[in-house]
Amino acid sequence: MEELDLLKKAWQKKAHSFDQVTEVEIYKMLHKKSSSIVKWIFYISLIELSLGFILSIAMSYTKYDTQNIEYFKKWGIYEYYIVCTVFIYIVVIYFIYKFYLMYKKISVVDSTKQLLSTIINTRKVVKYYVIFNLCSFAFIFITIMSFGLYHGYIDEMIKKGIENPVIPTKFIIISIVIIILATIVLTFLFWLFYRLLYGILLKRLHQNYKELKKIDI
């Protein structure tokens, strides 16, 4: 923001006639910076999706993934897992498309009010995108952990020769506590990752918003 600060200082020192010219220059600079930030948000989300897709393909060739699929089929949730995965990809692609539209829109806006509105909408879309990803992870993690602990206990009891085993209340309570704590910790770590990934860009976008508000007053 050094160039912007220099322009603002010059703006305050010059006459009113020069103020109008400088105001336009400041708007152009903020417009350019905001457009660049939204472009990077679009690029990062696209890279994130691509890496996730590549990782999924790479994992599909491992024994770990094969075992997981066998477990999911055994537990009767494989079809639901596929549906959830497809749904998540569709929603993520939709968000990326929204980021692209925001970038295209912010590149052609020609007024301070339009730019302010686009910045606000962009920040909202990014926040919804992060919330969706965190909620999706938490839901899938809780579901898999719940089925894993349940069937793991049942299988272990059957191996010991116990027919029609009943899960004790103590085991259920401990399992719930473990799942909740693990979900909170992992979701928080993912939140920190998104905070680092998009937080800096959103902070800069918010700074541009505040500077634009000063011009718009």
Side-chain angles (χ1 to χ4, degrees):
M1 301 291 286
E2 292 182 1
E3 298 177 20
L4 178 59
D5 291 335
L6 291 174
L7 277 175
K8 288 171 65 180
K9 289 179 180 179
W11 185 17
Q12 294 172 355
K13 293 179 181 179
K14 301 298 180 179
H16 178 73
S17 59
F18 185 71
D19 287 353
Q20 300 301 319
V21 177
T22 309
E23 182 177 315
V24 174
E25 291 176 353
I26 292 177
Y27 168 79
K28 288 181 178 179
M29 182 174 295
L30 290 171
H31 180 276
K32 182 179 179 181
K33 287 179 178 292
S34 299
S35 178
S36 177
I37 291 171
V38 177
K39 179 177 67 176
W40 273 107
I41 290 174
F42 166 66
Y43 285 162
I44 291 174
S45 63
L46 194 61
I47 293 171
E48 184 185 354
L49 176 65
S50 301
L51 289 176
F53 186 69
I54 293 172
L55 182 62
S56 297
I57 294 176
M59 288 293 293
S60 65
Y61 292 98
T62 64
K63 292 182 179 180
Y64 176 78
D65 187 73
T66 302
Q67 290 176 347
N68 284 340
I69 291 176
E70 290 177 357
Y71 284 134
F72 294 160
K73 289 180 178 180
K74 180 181 178 181
W75 300 342
I77 63 171
Y78 179 70
E79 290 77 10
Y80 297 103
Y81 173 74
I82 294 298
V83 171
C84 285
T85 301
V86 172
F87 172 75
I88 289 172
Y89 270 111
I90 291 174
V91 176
V92 169
I93 291 173
Y94 168 76
F95 273 112
I96 293 175
Y97 176 68
K98 290 286 290 184
F99 293 151
Y100 173 75
L101 292 181
M102 292 294 180
Y103 166 61
K104 296 298 292 184
K105 184 177 181 179
I106 206 170
S107 299
V108 298
V109 293
D110 56 1
S111 72
T112 304
K113 289 185 178 180
Q114 286 179 330
L115 184 54
L116 286 169
S117 176
T118 305
I119 289 176
I120 292 175
N121 290 334
T122 301
R123 285 170 56 84
K124 286 181 180 179
V125 173
V126 173
K127 289 180 180 179
Y128 293 151
Y129 171 71
V130 172
I131 291 173
F132 172 79
N133 283 341
L134 294 178
C135 290
S136 298
F137 165 77
F139 173 76
I140 292 177
F141 181 79
I142 290 173
T143 301
I144 293 176
M145 282 288 290
S146 299
F147 276 92
L149 290 173
Y150 172 81
H151 287 280
Y153 180 87
I154 296 296
D155 291 343
E156 189 65 26
M157 292 299 102
I158 292 176
K159 288 180 181 179
K160 292 180 179 181
I162 301 176
E163 296 182 3
N164 302 318
V166 177
I167 300 179
T169 304
K170 183 178 179 180
F171 179 84
I172 295 175
I173 295 174
I174 293 175
S175 298
I176 292 174
V177 172
I178 291 174
I179 291 172
I180 291 175
L181 290 177
T183 303
I184 291 174
V185 171
L186 292 176
T187 303
F188 177 72
L189 291 176
F190 273 106
W191 177 81
L192 288 178
F193 169 75
Y194 280 115
R195 180 80 173 179
L196 178 64
L197 195 62
Y198 294 102
I200 296 175
L201 294 175
L202 290 181
K203 185 177 180 179
R204 292 178 179 176
L205 202 60
H206 184 60
Q207 289 174 345
N208 290 354
Y209 177 83
K210 290 192 294 185
E211 296 298 336
L212 283 165
K213 286 291 290 183
K214 294 177 182 178
I215 296 176
D216 192 47
I217 294 176

